Amino acid sequence: MKSTIPEPTLRRLSYYLRYLERFKEKGLNIISSKELSIALGLSDAQVRRDLFTLGGFGKRGVGYDVSKLFNFLNTFLGLDNLQSIILVGCGNLGKALLQYKGFKKRKFIITHAFDNDKRLIGKKIAGINIQDSKEMQREIRKHKIIYGIIATPASSAQGVVNSMIDYGIKAVLNFAPIKIHVSQGIVISSVDLTTELEWLSFHVHHGT
Amino acid sequence: MKSTIPEPTLRRLSYYLRYLERFKEKGLNIISSKELSIALGLSDAQVRRDLFTLGGFGKRGVGYDVSKLFNFLNTFLGLDNLQSIILVGCGNLGKALLQYKGFKKRKFIITHAFDNDKRLIGKKIAGINIQDSKEMQREIRKHKIIYGIIATPASSAQGVVNSMIDYGIKAVLNFAPIKIHVSQGIVISSVDLTTELEWLSFHVHHGT
């Protein structure tokens, strides 16, 4: 199914999911669009529009069924099943990502980590054995993994991503501070920490 | 000076800066919009439009002066001087950020780190002493720091940001997986690693 959901709405769905999960944990069964909008810092109309886009949840004057909406969003975002991720590049950032517990809550698990630094290969971080990058092809194919995180230096990132994709990776989360080019059909998202700081700097210097 | 630069252009400027720096390191003096566009994966027209927005650099058929453009962008983004940052929350992610060397290249330096966990206070990570969060007010005011990074759990993030801002922080980079509300005049940028994975998951499941 090809998506027709606008990108900003899509990004917000992750936030809805997160808050719905908290409401569930608190034992709330029904939530109004007003309560959702306050929690998320959006307008009431925006929340109603977003959820209408998804197929019209909730009844006028009654609100939304928390569990139903949570389950729907979970399936909609493809988060029903456990998803394996490989991580390439086990420097400071890579090591931190291996230890990061936030992914697991959304059923993403880094199952394999690779590096080409002899001093890192064989080490265990958060229970995951760092393997030689040469093993990448075999592991991706054997376990049919489609998610990859790249945390290598900028200079080697594009080459590693090309290999990942050759071996079967379909979605890449890039932490290397460089623009990565991928062919059509491959999804990529980049997180560039320094760019974020530069963006803040600009706004501090030019007014927001 | 109030900014009239469109957000997507602004985000691209960080990339221009990065590539210009590499060109400089390679000893290149002049770069054509075509070469820039290939490196950045943008169209030639886009590059010319972006740089025109900034005030029209380059001469037709000659190209752009690498150093001049680099220096201009550096000043434009407010990166001329060293900028101090405080970091609050020294768990796995916070520790990794303290060790991350990428910030320094853009003259951002985490100078103070805080946590309220007794087991962390007093420890030194990458040369930075983790201080009790109670010291935050004194340090921000004393050193007139305006940048803050938040890497606490979601549950305490909003409270910590409120305090930061009370004490003088003007720009916040948020790593807590929660929507943070700030008053006008304060800039905030959020990096949510799990949201990025969810976005990839959606596109993998619905086609890109």
CSV table of all heavy atoms in Angstrom, one decimal, chain B residues 120-160:
chain,number,residue,atom,x,y,z
B,120,LEU,N,26.5,9.1,39.8
B,120,LEU,CA,27.2,9.7,38.6
B,120,LEU,C,27.9,11.0,39.0
B,120,LEU,O,29.0,11.3,38.4
B,120,LEU,CB,26.2,10.0,37.5
B,120,LEU,CG,25.5,8.8,36.8
B,120,LEU,CD1,24.4,9.2,35.9
B,120,LEU,CD2,26.6,8.0,36.0
B,121,ILE,N,27.4,11.7,40.0
B,121,ILE,CA,27.9,13.0,40.4
B,121,ILE,C,29.4,12.8,40.9
B,121,ILE,O,29.7,11.9,41.6
B,121,ILE,CB,27.1,13.7,41.5
B,121,ILE,CG1,25.7,14.0,41.0
B,121,ILE,CG2,27.8,14.9,42.0
B,121,ILE,CD1,24.7,14.3,42.0
B,122,GLY,N,30.3,13.6,40.3
B,122,GLY,CA,31.7,13.5,40.7
B,122,GLY,C,32.5,12.7,39.7
B,122,GLY,O,33.7,12.8,39.7
B,123,LYS,N,31.8,11.9,38.9
B,123,LYS,CA,32.6,11.1,37.9
B,123,LYS,C,33.0,12.1,36.8
B,123,LYS,O,32.4,13.1,36.5
B,123,LYS,CB,31.6,10.0,37.3
B,123,LYS,CG,31.6,8.8,38.2
B,123,LYS,CD,31.1,7.6,37.3
B,123,LYS,CE,31.1,6.3,38.2
B,123,LYS,NZ,30.4,5.2,37.6
B,124,LYS,N,34.1,11.6,36.1
B,124,LYS,CA,34.6,12.4,35.0
B,124,LYS,C,34.4,11.7,33.6
B,124,LYS,O,34.8,10.5,33.5
B,124,LYS,CB,36.1,12.7,35.2
B,124,LYS,CG,36.4,14.2,35.1
B,124,LYS,CD,37.9,14.4,35.3
B,124,LYS,CE,38.2,15.9,35.2
B,124,LYS,NZ,39.0,16.5,36.2
B,125,ILE,N,33.8,12.3,32.7
B,125,ILE,CA,33.6,11.7,31.4
B,125,ILE,C,34.3,12.6,30.3
B,125,ILE,O,33.9,13.8,30.3
B,125,ILE,CB,32.1,11.5,31.0
B,125,ILE,CG1,31.3,10.8,32.1
B,125,ILE,CG2,32.0,10.8,29.6
B,125,ILE,CD1,31.5,9.3,32.1
B,126,ALA,N,35.2,12.1,29.6
B,126,ALA,CA,35.9,12.9,28.6
B,126,ALA,C,36.4,14.3,29.1
B,126,ALA,O,36.3,15.3,28.5
B,126,ALA,CB,35.0,13.1,27.4
B,127,GLY,N,36.9,14.2,30.4
B,127,GLY,CA,37.4,15.4,31.0
B,127,GLY,C,36.4,16.3,31.6
B,127,GLY,O,36.8,17.3,32.2
B,128,ILE,N,35.2,16.0,31.5
B,128,ILE,CA,34.2,16.8,32.1
B,128,ILE,C,33.6,16.2,33.4
B,128,ILE,O,33.1,15.1,33.4
B,128,ILE,CB,33.0,17.1,31.1
B,128,ILE,CG1,33.6,17.9,29.9
B,128,ILE,CG2,31.9,17.9,31.8
B,128,ILE,CD1,32.8,17.7,28.7
B,129,ASN,N,33.6,17.0,34.5
B,129,ASN,CA,33.1,16.5,35.8
B,129,ASN,C,31.6,16.6,35.8
B,129,ASN,O,31.0,17.6,35.5
B,129,ASN,CB,33.7,17.5,36.8
B,129,ASN,CG,33.6,17.0,38.2
B,129,ASN,OD1,33.6,15.7,38.4
B,129,ASN,ND2,33.6,17.8,39.2
B,130,ILE,N,31.0,15.5,36.2
B,130,ILE,CA,29.5,15.5,36.3
B,130,ILE,C,29.1,16.1,37.6
B,130,ILE,O,29.5,15.7,38.7
B,130,ILE,CB,28.9,14.1,36.2
B,130,ILE,CG1,29.3,13.4,34.8
B,130,ILE,CG2,27.4,14.1,36.4
B,130,ILE,CD1,28.8,12.0,34.7
B,131,GLN,N,28.4,17.2,37.5
B,131,GLN,CA,28.0,18.0,38.7
B,131,GLN,C,26.5,17.7,39.1
B,131,GLN,O,25.7,17.2,38.3
B,131,GLN,CB,28.1,19.5,38.5
B,131,GLN,CG,29.5,19.9,38.2
B,131,GLN,CD,29.6,21.4,37.9
B,131,GLN,OE1,29.5,21.9,36.8
B,131,GLN,NE2,29.6,22.2,39.0
B,132,ASP,N,26.2,17.9,40.4
B,132,ASP,CA,24.9,17.8,40.9
B,132,ASP,C,24.0,18.9,40.1
B,132,ASP,O,24.4,20.0,40.0
B,132,ASP,CB,24.9,18.1,42.4
B,132,ASP,CG,23.6,17.8,43.1
B,132,ASP,OD1,22.5,18.0,42.4
B,132,ASP,OD2,23.6,17.3,44.2
B,133,SER,N,22.8,18.4,39.7
B,133,SER,CA,21.9,19.3,39.0
B,133,SER,C,21.6,20.6,39.8
B,133,SER,O,21.3,21.6,39.2
B,133,SER,CB,20.6,18.6,38.7
B,133,SER,OG,20.8,17.5,37.9
B,134,LYS,N,21.8,20.5,41.1
B,134,LYS,CA,21.5,21.7,41.9
B,134,LYS,C,22.5,22.9,41.6
B,134,LYS,O,22.2,24.0,41.9
B,134,LYS,CB,21.7,21.4,43.4
B,134,LYS,CG,20.5,20.6,43.9
B,134,LYS,CD,20.8,20.1,45.4
B,134,LYS,CE,19.8,19.1,45.8
B,134,LYS,NZ,20.4,18.1,46.8
B,135,GLU,N,23.6,22.5,41.0
B,135,GLU,CA,24.7,23.5,40.6
B,135,GLU,C,24.3,24.2,39.3
B,135,GLU,O,25.0,25.1,38.9
B,135,GLU,CB,26.0,22.8,40.5
B,135,GLU,CG,26.5,22.1,41.7
B,135,GLU,CD,26.7,23.0,42.9
B,135,GLU,OE1,27.3,24.1,42.6
B,135,GLU,OE2,26.4,22.6,44.0
B,136,MET,N,23.3,23.7,38.6
B,136,MET,CA,23.0,24.2,37.2
B,136,MET,C,22.8,25.7,37.2
B,136,MET,O,23.4,26.4,36.4
B,136,MET,CB,21.8,23.4,36.7
B,136,MET,CG,21.6,23.5,35.2
B,136,MET,SD,20.4,22.3,34.6
B,136,MET,CE,18.9,22.9,35.3
B,137,GLN,N,22.0,26.2,38.1
B,137,GLN,CA,21.6,27.6,38.1
B,137,GLN,C,22.9,28.5,38.2
B,137,GLN,O,23.1,29.4,37.4
B,137,GLN,CB,20.7,27.9,39.2
B,137,GLN,CG,20.4,29.4,39.4
B,137,GLN,CD,19.2,29.6,40.4
B,137,GLN,OE1,18.8,28.7,41.1
B,137,GLN,NE2,18.7,30.8,40.4
B,138,ARG,N,23.7,28.1,39.2
B,138,ARG,CA,25.0,28.9,39.4
B,138,ARG,C,25.9,28.9,38.2
B,138,ARG,O,26.3,29.9,37.8
B,138,ARG,CB,25.7,28.3,40.6
B,138,ARG,CG,26.7,29.2,41.3
B,138,ARG,CD,27.2,28.6,42.6
B,138,ARG,NE,27.7,27.2,42.5
B,138,ARG,CZ,28.9,26.8,42.0
B,138,ARG,NH1,29.8,27.8,41.7
B,138,ARG,NH2,29.2,25.6,41.9
B,139,GLU,N,26.1,27.7,37.6
B,139,GLU,CA,27.0,27.6,36.5
B,139,GLU,C,26.5,28.3,35.2
B,139,GLU,O,27.3,29.0,34.5
B,139,GLU,CB,27.3,26.1,36.2
B,139,GLU,CG,28.0,25.3,37.3
B,139,GLU,CD,29.4,25.7,37.5
B,139,GLU,OE1,29.9,26.7,36.8
B,139,GLU,OE2,30.1,25.1,38.3
B,140,ILE,N,25.2,28.2,34.9
B,140,ILE,CA,24.7,28.8,33.7
B,140,ILE,C,24.8,30.3,33.9
B,140,ILE,O,25.3,31.0,32.9
B,140,ILE,CB,23.2,28.5,33.5
B,140,ILE,CG1,23.0,27.0,33.1
B,140,ILE,CG2,22.5,29.4,32.5
B,140,ILE,CD1,21.6,26.5,33.1
B,141,ARG,N,24.5,30.9,35.1
B,141,ARG,CA,24.5,32.3,35.3
B,141,ARG,C,26.0,32.8,35.3
B,141,ARG,O,26.3,33.8,34.6
B,141,ARG,CB,23.8,32.7,36.6
B,141,ARG,CG,22.4,32.3,36.5
B,141,ARG,CD,21.5,33.2,37.3
B,141,ARG,NE,20.1,33.1,36.9
B,141,ARG,CZ,19.0,33.0,37.7
B,141,ARG,NH1,19.2,33.1,39.0
B,141,ARG,NH2,17.8,32.9,37.2
B,142,LYS,N,26.8,32.1,36.0
B,142,LYS,CA,28.2,32.5,36.1
B,142,LYS,C,28.9,32.6,34.7
B,142,LYS,O,29.6,33.5,34.4
B,142,LYS,CB,29.0,31.5,37.0
B,142,LYS,CG,30.4,31.9,37.3
B,142,LYS,CD,31.0,30.9,38.3
B,142,LYS,CE,32.5,31.0,38.4
B,142,LYS,NZ,33.1,29.8,39.0
B,143,HIS,N,28.7,31.6,33.9
B,143,HIS,CA,29.4,31.5,32.6
B,143,HIS,C,28.5,32.0,31.4
B,143,HIS,O,28.9,31.9,30.3
B,143,HIS,CB,29.8,30.1,32.3
B,143,HIS,CG,30.7,29.5,33.4
B,143,HIS,ND1,32.1,29.9,33.4
B,143,HIS,CD2,30.5,28.7,34.4
B,143,HIS,CE1,32.6,29.3,34.5
B,143,HIS,NE2,31.7,28.6,35.1
B,144,LYS,N,27.3,32.5,31.7
B,144,LYS,CA,26.4,33.1,30.7
B,144,LYS,C,26.2,32.1,29.6
B,144,LYS,O,26.3,32.5,28.4
B,144,LYS,CB,26.9,34.4,30.2
B,144,LYS,CG,27.0,35.5,31.3
B,144,LYS,CD,27.3,36.9,30.7
B,144,LYS,CE,27.3,38.0,31.7
B,144,LYS,NZ,28.3,37.8,32.8
B,145,ILE,N,25.9,30.9,29.9
B,145,ILE,CA,25.7,29.8,28.9
B,145,ILE,C,24.3,29.9,28.3
B,145,ILE,O,23.3,30.1,29.1
B,145,ILE,CB,26.0,28.4,29.4
B,145,ILE,CG1,27.5,28.4,29.9
B,145,ILE,CG2,25.8,27.3,28.4
B,145,ILE,CD1,27.9,27.2,30.7
B,146,ILE,N,24.2,29.8,27.0
B,146,ILE,CA,22.8,29.9,26.4
B,146,ILE,C,22.4,28.6,25.7
B,146,ILE,O,21.3,28.5,25.2
B,146,ILE,CB,22.7,31.1,25.4
B,146,ILE,CG1,23.7,31.0,24.3
B,146,ILE,CG2,22.9,32.4,26.2
B,146,ILE,CD1,23.5,32.0,23.2
B,147,TYR,N,23.3,27.6,25.5
B,147,TYR,CA,23.0,26.4,24.9
B,147,TYR,C,22.9,25.2,25.9
B,147,TYR,O,23.7,25.1,26.7
B,147,TYR,CB,24.0,26.0,23.8
B,147,TYR,CG,24.1,26.9,22.6
B,147,TYR,CD1,24.9,28.0,22.6
B,147,TYR,CD2,23.2,26.6,21.6
B,147,TYR,CE1,25.0,28.8,21.5
B,147,TYR,CE2,23.3,27.5,20.5
B,147,TYR,CZ,24.1,28.6,20.5
B,147,TYR,OH,24.2,29.4,19.4
B,148,GLY,N,21.8,24.5,25.8
B,148,GLY,CA,21.6,23.3,26.6
B,148,GLY,C,21.2,22.1,25.9
B,148,GLY,O,20.4,22.1,24.9
B,149,ILE,N,21.8,20.9,26.3
B,149,ILE,CA,21.4,19.7,25.7
B,149,ILE,C,20.7,18.9,26.8
B,149,ILE,O,21.2,18.8,27.9
B,149,ILE,CB,22.6,18.8,25.2
B,149,ILE,CG1,23.2,19.5,24.0
B,149,ILE,CG2,22.2,17.4,24.8
B,149,ILE,CD1,24.5,18.8,23.4
B,150,ILE,N,19.5,18.3,26.5
B,150,ILE,CA,18.8,17.5,27.5
B,150,ILE,C,18.7,16.0,27.0
B,150,ILE,O,18.3,15.7,26.0
B,150,ILE,CB,17.4,18.1,27.8
B,150,ILE,CG1,16.7,17.2,28.8
B,150,ILE,CG2,16.6,18.3,26.6
B,150,ILE,CD1,16.0,18.0,29.8
B,151,ALA,N,19.3,15.2,27.9
B,151,ALA,CA,19.3,13.8,27.6
B,151,ALA,C,18.8,13.0,28.9
B,151,ALA,O,19.3,11.9,29.2
B,151,ALA,CB,20.7,13.3,27.3
B,152,THR,N,17.8,13.6,29.5
B,152,THR,CA,17.2,12.9,30.7
B,152,THR,C,16.1,12.0,30.2
B,152,THR,O,15.7,12.0,29.1
B,152,THR,CB,16.6,14.0,31.6
B,152,THR,OG1,15.4,14.5,30.9
B,152,THR,CG2,17.5,15.1,32.0
B,153,PRO,N,15.6,11.1,31.2
B,153,PRO,CA,14.4,10.4,30.8
B,153,PRO,C,13.2,11.3,30.4
B,153,PRO,O,13.2,12.5,30.9
B,153,PRO,CB,14.0,9.6,32.0
B,153,PRO,CG,15.3,9.5,32.8
B,153,PRO,CD,16.0,10.8,32.5
B,154,ALA,N,12.2,10.8,29.7
B,154,ALA,CA,11.1,11.6,29.2
B,154,ALA,C,10.4,12.3,30.4
B,154,ALA,O,10.0,13.4,30.4
B,154,ALA,CB,10.1,10.8,28.4
B,155,SER,N,10.2,11.5,31.5
B,155,SER,CA,9.4,12.0,32.6
B,155,SER,C,9.9,13.3,33.3
B,155,SER,O,9.1,14.1,33.8
B,155,SER,CB,9.3,10.9,33.7
B,155,SER,OG,10.6,10.4,34.0
B,156,SER,N,11.2,13.5,33.3
B,156,SER,CA,11.8,14.7,33.9
B,156,SER,C,12.2,15.8,32.9
B,156,SER,O,12.5,16.9,33.4
B,156,SER,CB,12.9,14.3,34.8
B,156,SER,OG,13.9,13.5,34.2
B,157,ALA,N,12.1,15.5,31.6
B,157,ALA,CA,12.7,16.4,30.6
B,157,ALA,C,12.0,17.8,30.7
B,157,ALA,O,12.7,18.9,30.7
B,157,ALA,CB,12.5,15.8,29.3
B,158,GLN,N,10.7,17.9,30.7
B,158,GLN,CA,10.0,19.2,30.7
B,158,GLN,C,10.4,20.1,31.9
B,158,GLN,O,10.7,21.3,31.7
B,158,GLN,CB,8.5,19.1,30.6
B,158,GLN,CG,7.8,20.4,30.5
B,158,GLN,CD,7.9,21.1,29.2
B,158,GLN,OE1,7.6,20.6,28.1
B,158,GLN,NE2,8.5,22.3,29.2
B,159,GLY,N,10.5,19.5,33.0
B,159,GLY,CA,10.8,20.2,34.3
B,159,GLY,C,12.3,20.7,34.2
B,159,GLY,O,12.5,21.9,34.5
B,160,VAL,N,13.2,19.9,33.7
B,160,VAL,CA,14.6,20.3,33.5
B,160,VAL,C,14.7,21.5,32.5
B,160,VAL,O,15.4,22.5,32.8
B,160,VAL,CB,15.5,19.2,33.1
B,160,VAL,CG1,16.9,19.6,32.8
B,160,VAL,CG2,15.5,18.1,34.3
